[in-house]
mmCIF file of all heavy atoms in Angstrom:
data_model
loop_
_atom_site.group_PDB
_atom_site.id
_atom_site.type_symbol
_atom_site.label_atom_id
_atom_site.label_comp_id
_atom_site.label_asym_id
_atom_site.label_seq_id
_atom_site.Cartn_x
_atom_site.Cartn_y
_atom_site.Cartn_z
ATOM 1 N N ARG A 74 1.791 17.855 -5.304
ATOM 2 C CA ARG A 74 2.230 18.363 -4.006
ATOM 3 C C ARG A 74 0.999 18.561 -3.130
ATOM 4 O O ARG A 74 -0.009 19.093 -3.581
ATOM 5 C CB ARG A 74 2.961 19.696 -4.174
ATOM 6 C CG ARG A 74 4.310 19.598 -4.872
ATOM 7 C CD ARG A 74 5.410 19.235 -3.892
ATOM 8 N NE ARG A 74 6.727 19.330 -4.502
ATOM 9 C CZ ARG A 74 7.869 19.328 -3.793
ATOM 10 N NH1 ARG A 74 7.830 19.231 -2.482
ATOM 11 N NH2 ARG A 74 9.022 19.404 -4.407
ATOM 12 N N VAL A 75 1.099 18.144 -1.865
ATOM 13 C CA VAL A 75 -0.055 18.175 -0.972
ATOM 14 C C VAL A 75 0.353 18.718 0.392
ATOM 15 O O VAL A 75 1.436 18.407 0.905
ATOM 16 C CB VAL A 75 -0.670 16.770 -0.797
ATOM 17 C CG1 VAL A 75 -2.011 16.858 -0.082
ATOM 18 C CG2 VAL A 75 -0.826 16.055 -2.130
ATOM 19 N N ALA A 76 -0.524 19.523 0.985
ATOM 20 C CA ALA A 76 -0.351 20.016 2.356
ATOM 21 C C ALA A 76 -1.742 20.341 2.899
ATOM 22 O O ALA A 76 -2.736 20.299 2.170
ATOM 23 C CB ALA A 76 0.556 21.229 2.402
ATOM 24 N N HIS A 77 -1.801 20.679 4.186
ATOM 25 C CA HIS A 77 -3.100 21.023 4.759
ATOM 26 C C HIS A 77 -2.958 22.063 5.860
ATOM 27 O O HIS A 77 -1.869 22.282 6.411
ATOM 28 C CB HIS A 77 -3.801 19.772 5.316
ATOM 29 C CG HIS A 77 -3.227 19.272 6.617
ATOM 30 N ND1 HIS A 77 -3.713 19.658 7.842
ATOM 31 C CD2 HIS A 77 -2.211 18.422 6.875
ATOM 32 C CE1 HIS A 77 -3.025 19.068 8.801
ATOM 33 N NE2 HIS A 77 -2.102 18.312 8.236
ATOM 34 N N THR A 78 -4.065 22.726 6.146
ATOM 35 C CA THR A 78 -4.205 23.575 7.317
ATOM 36 C C THR A 78 -5.272 22.934 8.201
ATOM 37 O O THR A 78 -5.692 21.808 7.971
ATOM 38 C CB THR A 78 -4.619 25.005 6.928
ATOM 39 O OG1 THR A 78 -5.923 24.956 6.318
ATOM 40 C CG2 THR A 78 -3.628 25.609 5.935
ATOM 41 N N GLU A 79 -5.752 23.651 9.196
ATOM 42 C CA GLU A 79 -6.817 23.113 10.029
ATOM 43 C C GLU A 79 -8.133 23.026 9.272
ATOM 44 O O GLU A 79 -9.022 22.264 9.658
ATOM 45 C CB GLU A 79 -6.997 23.966 11.283
ATOM 46 C CG GLU A 79 -5.830 23.880 12.265
ATOM 47 C CD GLU A 79 -6.072 24.711 13.500
ATOM 48 O OE1 GLU A 79 -7.104 25.406 13.543
ATOM 49 O OE2 GLU A 79 -5.237 24.664 14.424
ATOM 50 N N GLU A 80 -8.255 23.800 8.184
ATOM 51 C CA GLU A 80 -9.541 23.892 7.498
ATOM 52 C C GLU A 80 -9.524 23.411 6.058
ATOM 53 O O GLU A 80 -10.589 23.138 5.500
ATOM 54 C CB GLU A 80 -10.049 25.338 7.531
ATOM 55 C CG GLU A 80 -10.320 25.856 8.947
ATOM 56 C CD GLU A 80 -10.863 27.261 8.948
ATOM 57 O OE1 GLU A 80 -10.777 27.934 7.882
ATOM 58 O OE2 GLU A 80 -11.364 27.702 9.999
ATOM 59 N N HIS A 81 -8.351 23.307 5.422
ATOM 60 C CA HIS A 81 -8.306 22.980 4.000
ATOM 61 C C HIS A 81 -7.224 21.951 3.684
ATOM 62 O O HIS A 81 -6.169 21.903 4.339
ATOM 63 C CB HIS A 81 -8.033 24.238 3.157
ATOM 64 C CG HIS A 81 -9.179 25.194 3.112
ATOM 65 N ND1 HIS A 81 -9.403 26.120 4.107
ATOM 66 C CD2 HIS A 81 -10.169 25.370 2.199
ATOM 67 C CE1 HIS A 81 -10.486 26.828 3.809
ATOM 68 N NE2 HIS A 81 -10.959 26.387 2.662
ATOM 69 N N LEU A 82 -7.495 21.173 2.653
ATOM 70 C CA LEU A 82 -6.493 20.324 2.025
ATOM 71 C C LEU A 82 -6.091 20.995 0.718
ATOM 72 O O LEU A 82 -6.954 21.315 -0.112
ATOM 73 C CB LEU A 82 -7.062 18.938 1.745
ATOM 74 C CG LEU A 82 -6.105 17.915 1.124
ATOM 75 C CD1 LEU A 82 -5.033 17.512 2.131
ATOM 76 C CD2 LEU A 82 -6.873 16.682 0.644
ATOM 77 N N PHE A 83 -4.795 21.216 0.525
ATOM 78 C CA PHE A 83 -4.282 21.879 -0.669
ATOM 79 C C PHE A 83 -3.586 20.852 -1.547
ATOM 80 O O PHE A 83 -2.732 20.090 -1.077
ATOM 81 C CB PHE A 83 -3.288 22.980 -0.291
ATOM 82 C CG PHE A 83 -3.909 24.173 0.373
ATOM 83 C CD1 PHE A 83 -4.226 24.150 1.733
ATOM 84 C CD2 PHE A 83 -4.191 25.324 -0.350
ATOM 85 C CE1 PHE A 83 -4.807 25.248 2.347
ATOM 86 C CE2 PHE A 83 -4.765 26.427 0.253
ATOM 87 C CZ PHE A 83 -5.084 26.388 1.612
ATOM 88 N N ILE A 84 -3.949 20.842 -2.830
ATOM 89 C CA ILE A 84 -3.365 19.906 -3.792
ATOM 90 C C ILE A 84 -2.899 20.679 -5.016
ATOM 91 O O ILE A 84 -3.660 21.479 -5.579
ATOM 92 C CB ILE A 84 -4.397 18.846 -4.228
ATOM 93 C CG1 ILE A 84 -4.956 18.094 -3.019
ATOM 94 C CG2 ILE A 84 -3.762 17.858 -5.216
ATOM 95 C CD1 ILE A 84 -6.074 17.123 -3.373
ATOM 96 N N LEU A 85 -1.667 20.457 -5.421
ATOM 97 C CA LEU A 85 -1.110 21.067 -6.627
ATOM 98 C C LEU A 85 -0.669 19.968 -7.580
ATOM 99 O O LEU A 85 0.187 19.149 -7.237
ATOM 100 C CB LEU A 85 0.076 21.966 -6.280
ATOM 101 C CG LEU A 85 0.870 22.535 -7.461
ATOM 102 C CD1 LEU A 85 -0.001 23.450 -8.326
ATOM 103 C CD2 LEU A 85 2.109 23.281 -6.974
ATOM 104 N N TYR A 86 -1.265 19.935 -8.763
ATOM 105 C CA TYR A 86 -0.887 18.988 -9.812
ATOM 106 C C TYR A 86 -0.012 19.693 -10.839
ATOM 107 O O TYR A 86 -0.334 20.805 -11.283
ATOM 108 C CB TYR A 86 -2.121 18.459 -10.547
ATOM 109 C CG TYR A 86 -3.154 17.760 -9.704
ATOM 110 C CD1 TYR A 86 -4.194 18.476 -9.126
ATOM 111 C CD2 TYR A 86 -3.125 16.379 -9.533
ATOM 112 C CE1 TYR A 86 -5.178 17.833 -8.385
ATOM 113 C CE2 TYR A 86 -4.097 15.729 -8.797
ATOM 114 C CZ TYR A 86 -5.122 16.464 -8.221
ATOM 115 O OH TYR A 86 -6.101 15.833 -7.492
#
Side-chain angles (χ1 to χ4, degrees):
R74 291 276 188 166
V75 191
H77 75 93
T78 64
E79 291 181 356
E80 297 182 346
H81 289 83
L82 182 69
F83 290 80
I84 303 175
L85 173 63
Y86 302 90

